[in-house]
Amino acid sequence: MSAPRRGDRDLIKALNRNLVLNIVRRQGPLSRTQIRDLSRLSMGAVSQITAELLDEGWVREVGESEPTGGRRQILLRLRPQAGYAVGVKLMEDRIVCAVTDLEVSEVLYLEQPTLGHSPEVVVSAIVSAVRQAIVDAGISSRQVLGIGVGLAGVVNMQSGVVHYSPFFQWRELPLADLIAAQIKLPVYVDNDVNTLTLTEHLFGAGHDIENFAVITVGRGIGMGMVLHHRLYQGGPGGAGEFGHLTLDVDGPPCDCGKRGCLEALASDPAVIRYIQQRRPDGRALPGTLLDVIAAADGGDALAREALEVSGRYIGLGLSMIVNLLCPTLIVLSGEGVIAGEYRLAPIREALRRHAFNGLLDNVSFIIKPTDDRAWARGAAGLVVAKSFESPLVKAEGDRGGLGAT
Amino acid sequence: MSAPRRGDRDLIKALNRNLVLNIVRRQGPLSRTQIRDLSRLSMGAVSQITAELLDEGWVREVGESEPTGGRRQILLRLRPQAGYAVGVKLMEDRIVCAVTDLEVSEVLYLEQPTLGHSPEVVVSAIVSAVRQAIVDAGISSRQVLGIGVGLAGVVNMQSGVVHYSPFFQWRELPLADLIAAQIKLPVYVDNDVNTLTLTEHLFGAGHDIENFAVITVGRGIGMGMVLHHRLYQGGPGGAGEFGHLTLDVDGPPCDCGKRGCLEALASDPAVIRYIQQRRPDGRALPGTLLDVIAAADGGDALAREALEVSGRYIGLGLSMIVNLLCPTLIVLSGEGVIAGEYRLAPIREALRRHAFNGLLDNVSFIIKPTDDRAWARGAAGLVVAKSFESPLVKAEGDRGGLGAT
DNA sequence: TTCGAATTCTTCACTCAATGAAATAAGGTT
DNA sequence: AACCTTATTTCATTGAGTGAAGAATTCGAA
């Protein structure tokens, strides 16, 4: 079963505490009066709760506001140093690791190669990197709220089990437990794009947006989504396989075994393949997306065409997200957005052509490049998100599905 | 603003009341002890709440269970007659109307032609049909919890505004307000597939399933989804345009103005068109899907091919839902499922081919034909769903987004 | 400078839903 | 009939939130 149910009063207290904490976190420095208005709690309750939060160090009094004709308001804001998170992103050949504070600002960053793909090797690399990072950051592990791990693949966040990892060829690996067995800290594991999405939800453009999606384009093509203000994970964490939508039934084979997946048609490797297949002669072939962009900048028609084809497919894929989910915001992210307009223009064009009726009017787009540090921060954000998660989400399992219709 | 906030105690009371009511509604006849176990409330609270619900007529004591070696349990169940709902489904040429009880069992059904497509004509037809239905059902309008209206198109349920109706060519029509102005009852308007989905969630296969989708195939192709235990509507009610996914960039034109939409490729009219275009000679052309099925039964290769092509496209579309959302359940519904295996076999086949990795293992499928009565009941279900909706959903707007991470 | 009005924040008596334990009810078993 | 078992009700207790009164500031005008 789950934690012992201590009654509804405890729940409501925790709920309001969490509410106040999140309001302070999100809306920046606020006076108690403002918190009262935003939370719709009574002044007394706010006073009580903020006193507790101050006492425990979660928030801090920070100066006063401009006078408003009476007693000045004492502003409260989140104390970012109230806790730290360690984020780890697993790449194919290395892991990158960041220590962040509660605002997911980087305190320390390090990289470490992984010499092998077996669970033992990777887990011990993670453990040593985390230990190193905590020491280097000059904090005690008591201050660490937890460890977040992000990797490509299908992951069940609840259980911490990696159902499938394309890089490491893992199946049904209880990664969270393996790490937790060696470090006595809460460990959360999730798909890497989900960690980015959560971080965006907490501190990024996804602020207060009920429904939005994050799309990453790079070596693969991934997706994370927040629906009804909550990260959507689908059945066993299997949602968001955007990169494996079949967009061309007779298309090229994909690593996943199918044909014509978006990822096989439009990822960065697909762009490079596109050029290689059409220029089999001796001319210099691009090895990375940067080469392709350089070629396109130099006027290379084939390079431009390759990026355009890629953009067209991505736009077609995005139109499906718009038609099915109509999110308020789509964040375009990943390493691949550095290709700029070569890819973005056809994306927009395809979206206009394939999105239903006026749906596109309700969707805004943001371009946000992602590098290694951002991935690591995203994984740390997973831990911070857990810390600020509504107690309702945790309680839901205990009752007969509280929020259910 | 919203209703005056009377404090958290009221909320928690309402929450638990709603919880108990929904447990009784869903899990059939239950004793108070069983309710205690399911709700994790204390015996005293259950006693108090059930007393209230009994007093107000929402539930009823109904016999006793088999003895368990002590005092017998008094079973409680929902009193379906505690309220009635009127459901109206708008078709192109007529409206169908049903009065149902709280279990969405049909009490009365009637049809009425609509002579025109203007808002005035349709609204007055709705109003007269509803009045007639209430009288014929032999109930007082005081017992009616509300009126639910379902129609094809993009609808914002919150505001009751029809953003776009393909049949009637309405745009930004405040249909709920127009009806409410003539009948003093709560009016809820939503996309017709959403009403079906809600009803499925309340009393159908979607019972207790966190994430599921309902797909309807018929004159059009529609979709409704429940995600995180709640109907997902996207931005302004624009989600679920499954029928307008572009599955063939160079495909035939669709009524919506685009090309190659699933609906233009695989709906019932598309199947008929497929045959007409390939058999332009004098041989008897099918007018309805029933004709096509009859021809297929008679061994007509072209009819079979048309259904197979349709199924293949629907399967491809479904694979996108599986890859993006990975719901636990997909209900295949609508008039079109009567085509049986001619269409279902290629759907399954295409799904197997295009769904990512093992995702399909987590999805179950149910086939559930829909006729006019089912659509009308679905619309009534919209009202019932509102009656049983968690107070949290209503309160959410008042606070800073309670459930937010 | 002094007083009063305005505004923020704290304190405290009160309320009410939930709890938990004791009491009551009602059937079985020996 | 005495006794056990289970179901339900009753009730004193608990604790979070409320609302009003009070304390703390600040501004502005006499």
Side-chain angles (χ1 to χ4, degrees), chain B residues 11-352:
Chain B
L11 178 70
I12 209 158
K13 176 68 188 286
L15 218 55
N16 285 333
R17 218 185 105 107
N18 180 263
L19 179 64
V20 170
L21 185 56
N22 271 304
I23 285 173
V24 172
R25 171 178 72 72
R26 285 201 293 225
Q27 334 253 346
L30 289 172
S31 70
R32 289 167 176 80
T33 317
Q34 291 172 303
I35 296 172
R36 158 173 50 80
D37 295 341
L38 289 167
S39 68
R40 305 229 187 173
L41 290 165
S42 67
M43 203 61 240
V46 172
S47 207
Q48 164 65 22
I49 291 169
T50 52
E52 270 181 47
L53 293 176
L54 270 167
D55 194 47
E56 294 168 29
W58 287 97
V59 300
R60 179 177 73 187
E61 295 191 333
V62 51
E64 303 181 334
S65 71
E66 324 78 88
T68 53
R71 174 171 173 180
R72 290 215 169 138
Q73 1 190 59
I74 306 163
L75 297 180
L76 298 170
R77 57 162 293 172
L78 187 68
R79 204 172 71 90
Q81 299 78 22
Y84 295 89
V86 183
V88 178
K89 153 88 183 199
L90 309 187
M91 311 283 209
E92 266 184 289
D93 54 344
R94 68 194 194 283
I95 62 183
V96 298
C97 179
V99 177
T100 76
D101 61 21
L102 284 187
E103 283 177 331
V104 200
S105 299
E106 187 182 300
V107 173
L108 180 125
Y109 174 79
L110 62 80
E111 297 193 23
Q112 183 167 318
T114 44
L115 312 161
H117 283 178
S118 76
E120 297 75 30
V121 169
V122 177
V123 167
S124 72
I126 294 171
V127 170
S128 80
V130 170
R131 290 221 171 95
Q132 185 71 49
I134 292 175
V135 170
D136 288 359
I139 57 175
S140 120
S141 69
R142 196 153 321 174
Q143 298 172 271
V144 177
L145 295 168
I147 301 167
V149 180
L151 75 165
V154 180
V155 184
N156 185 331
M157 208 242 277
Q158 257 66 44
S159 64
V161 171
V162 178
H163 287 290
Y164 171 63
S165 151
F167 295 166
F168 303 111
Q169 289 301 321
W170 293 338
R171 286 187 183 276
E172 313 303 328
L173 182 76
L175 184 58
D177 289 345
L178 291 175
I179 298 170
Q182 297 194 42
I183 299 191
K184 255 187 63 181
L185 279 172
V187 178
Y188 309 101
V189 181
D190 205 344
N191 173 280
D192 50 359
V193 191
N194 279 346
T195 66
L196 264 194
T197 307
L198 264 181
T199 306
E200 206 60 37
H201 179 44
L202 273 175
F203 292 98
H207 234 38
D208 274 336
I209 295 191
E210 182 167 1
N211 308 304
F212 72 93
V214 175
I215 305 293
T216 62
V217 178
R219 191 187 175 308
I221 293 184
M223 171 181 185
M225 46 197 146
V226 166
L227 306 177
H228 289 145
H229 286 298
R230 277 178 55 191
L231 187 69
Y232 180 80
Q233 318 233 57
E241 288 299 343
F242 179 57
H244 296 280
L245 292 186
T246 303
L247 294 193
D248 180 356
V249 174
D250 306 310
C254 177
D255 293 338
C256 75
K258 304 194 301 149
R259 304 185 70 86
C261 294
L262 174 57
E263 192 164 303
L265 292 163
S267 66
D268 293 354
V271 169
I272 293 166
R273 247 189 333 265
Y274 185 96
I275 295 173
Q276 287 171 341
Q277 284 166 0
R278 279 162 186 76
R279 189 182 284 158
D281 58 352
R283 273 221 275 162
L285 289 171
T288 68
L289 190 70
L290 283 171
D291 298 338
V292 179
I293 296 169
D297 281 339
D300 183 332
L302 181 58
R304 290 188 177 183
E305 178 186 318
L307 288 169
E308 188 189 323
V309 168
S310 159
R312 226 153 38 207
Y313 278 116
I314 295 172
L316 176 59
L318 287 178
S319 79
M320 300 191 171
I321 292 175
V322 171
N323 289 344
L324 285 181
L325 297 174
C326 194
T328 311
L329 171 73
I330 294 182
V331 180
L332 274 175
S333 187
E335 288 77 6
V337 299
I338 53 170
E341 281 303 310
Y342 294 123
R343 229 180 200 165
L344 292 177
I347 288 180
R348 273 194 293 269
E349 150 81 31
L351 259 170
R352 253 196 307 277

